[in-house]
């Protein structure tokens, strides 16, 4: 996919650019479905078929699946018609996909949530690896939703599926509605959410334990501090103020201790 301008030796850049643009225009004109198309794709069900005329060579170069149909002389190659299942793509979706295969078109294409799902489905079914890889890369960069998680599960993208489950934020009952028919996805979302809640609770419990431990250490320090201060004060109280067993009963006001009127405690 895509194109690269190559400088031609001995040709001025302006002339080279003109030649490149002319070549692009010629190739695009030659590759439009109405010009020399030799393969018909059929879409739709219940007799309401739509058709898309394409170039077999373009699809064969891009897809080993389609190339195999022609290589092994299958029915599709004989009648020059291929039916595309509605599960793979609609006509409009395949038309957008086919346009990417034409020369110089891929460089202008932009992935979006609106097109990445069917672009992946088409490229996965027809085994177009580069486009498939581009789709997976875009899906990885997207903010995960229940819909994208279901999609990853459906297509066996296990790494992407696990990553999306881990990154999924809070969801509502309405958000979960698309998963009502996929119980295994609902279960995985529930287990993932429960695991996140348990992890949050574990971290909170650890934080509370750290706070308690820190508080106990601080209280012990305060108690030791107070004990040292009390011991220092009691040593300065004259024996005349002590009781028979060394109990400090009365402390006469002193300029050195203006805030203490009376202290009563045991010296231990």
């Amino acid at each position: 996919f895509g194109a690269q301008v190559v400088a031609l030796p001995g040709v001025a850049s302006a002339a080279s650019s003109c030649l490149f643009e002319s070549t692009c225009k010629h190739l695009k004109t030659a590759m439009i479905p109405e010009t020399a198309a030799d393969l018909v794709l059929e879409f739709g069900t219940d007799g309401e078929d739509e058709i898309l005329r394409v170039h077999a060579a373009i699809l064969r170069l891009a897809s080993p699946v389609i190339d195999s149909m022609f290589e092994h002389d299958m029915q599709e190659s004989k009648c020059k018609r291929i039916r595309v299942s509605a599960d793979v793509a609609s006509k409009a979706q395949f038309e957008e996909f086919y346009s990417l295969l034409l020369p110089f078109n891929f460089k202008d294409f932009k992935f979006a949530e609106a097109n990445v799902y069917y672009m992946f489905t088409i490229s996965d079914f027809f085994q177009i690896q580069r486009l498939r890889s581009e789709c997976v890369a875009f899906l990885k960069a997207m903010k995960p939703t229940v819909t994208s998680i279901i999609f990853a599960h459906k297509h066996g993208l296990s790494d992407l599926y696990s990553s999306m489950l881990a990154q999924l934020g809070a969801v509502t009952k309405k958000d979960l509605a698309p998963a009502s028919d996929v119980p295994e996805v609902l279960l995985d979302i529930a287990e993932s959410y429960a695991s996140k809640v348990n992890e949050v609770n574990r971290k909170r419990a650890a934080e509370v334990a750290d706070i308690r431990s820190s508080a106990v250490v601080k209280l012990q320090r305060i108690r030791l501090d107070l004990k040292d201060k009390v011991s220092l004060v009691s040593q300065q109280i004259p024996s005349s103020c002590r009781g028979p067993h060394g109990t400090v009963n009365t402390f006469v006001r002193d300029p050195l201790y203006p805030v203490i009127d009376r202290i009563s405690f045991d010296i231990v």
Side-chain angles (χ1 to χ4, degrees):
F1 305 108
Q4 183 176 2
V5 179
V6 179
L8 303 177
V11 180
S13 59
S16 178
S17 176
C18 182
L19 176 62
F20 176 73
E21 290 178 6
S22 175
T23 302
C24 288
K25 184 177 180 181
H26 175 73
L27 284 171
K28 287 183 178 181
T29 302
M31 293 300 177
I32 60 175
E34 292 78 9
T35 307
D38 57 352
L39 179 64
V40 174
L41 302 180
E42 299 176 341
F43 303 85
T45 55
D46 301 328
E48 298 180 359
D49 289 350
E50 294 180 287
I51 64 170
L52 177 64
R53 299 184 185 280
V54 296
H55 296 80
I58 294 292
L59 290 178
R60 289 186 67 178
L61 284 170
S63 168
V65 173
I66 294 179
D67 185 53
S68 179
M69 292 178 181
F70 285 85
E71 188 72 25
H72 296 92
D73 201 28
M74 296 175 67
Q75 181 65 29
E76 289 84 355
S77 68
K78 293 177 181 178
C79 64
K80 300 294 184 182
R81 301 178 82 88
I82 297 177
R83 173 163 288 279
V84 180
S85 168
D87 292 333
V88 175
S90 66
K91 179 188 174 183
Q93 291 170 349
F94 198 95
E95 205 164 11
E96 182 179 2
F97 157 76
Y98 178 70
S99 71
L100 299 183
L101 305 181
L102 301 180
F104 317 111
N105 278 7
F106 189 77
K107 63 185 178 65
D108 297 322
F109 178 73
K110 301 294 183 184
F111 281 111
E113 189 171 355
N115 62 29
V116 69
Y117 295 118
Y118 63 77
M119 283 296 178
F120 175 90
T121 302
I122 296 171
S123 59
D124 185 55
F125 182 82
F126 290 107
Q127 298 179 15
I128 303 173
Q129 293 304 320
R130 178 179 170 184
L131 180 58
R132 184 184 186 278
S133 298
E134 296 277 357
C135 290
V136 172
F138 185 83
L139 286 167
K140 283 182 179 178
M142 278 174 47
K143 182 179 179 180
T145 64
V146 174
T147 298
S148 62
I149 288 173
I150 294 171
F151 184 84
H153 177 268
K154 177 182 177 181
H155 292 278
L157 301 170
S158 55
D159 290 343
L160 180 62
Y161 181 71
S162 299
S163 173
M164 285 180 166
L165 280 174
Q167 296 177 48
L168 183 66
V171 292
T172 64
K173 187 176 180 180
K174 184 178 179 181
D175 294 331
L176 291 171
S180 58
D181 296 328
V182 197
E184 54 269 39
V185 172
L186 276 176
L187 180 60
D188 286 342
I189 289 175
E191 289 180 347
S192 176
Y193 184 73
S195 176
K196 291 173 187 174
V197 170
N198 290 337
E199 179 64 16
V200 169
N201 289 339
R202 187 191 66 76
K203 287 181 178 179
R204 286 178 178 172
E207 289 173 358
V208 169
D210 287 343
I211 291 171
R212 285 177 178 170
S213 177
S214 177
V216 167
V217 170
K218 287 180 180 178
L219 282 173
Q220 288 174 340
R221 287 176 180 169
I222 290 171
R223 285 173 180 169
L224 288 173
D225 237 16
L226 285 173
K227 188 174 181 180
D228 289 343
K229 289 178 180 178
V230 167
S231 177
L232 182 64
V233 170
S234 66
Q235 290 173 12
Q236 299 182 43
I237 296 175
S239 57
S240 59
C241 295
R242 301 175 185 273
H245 302 292
T247 302
V248 178
N249 292 320
T250 306
F251 184 81
V252 180
R253 288 184 64 86
D254 187 283
L256 294 176
Y257 309 101
V259 297
I260 303 177
D261 285 323
R262 181 181 178 84
I263 301 176
S264 184
F265 53 83
D266 291 330
I267 299 172
V268 292

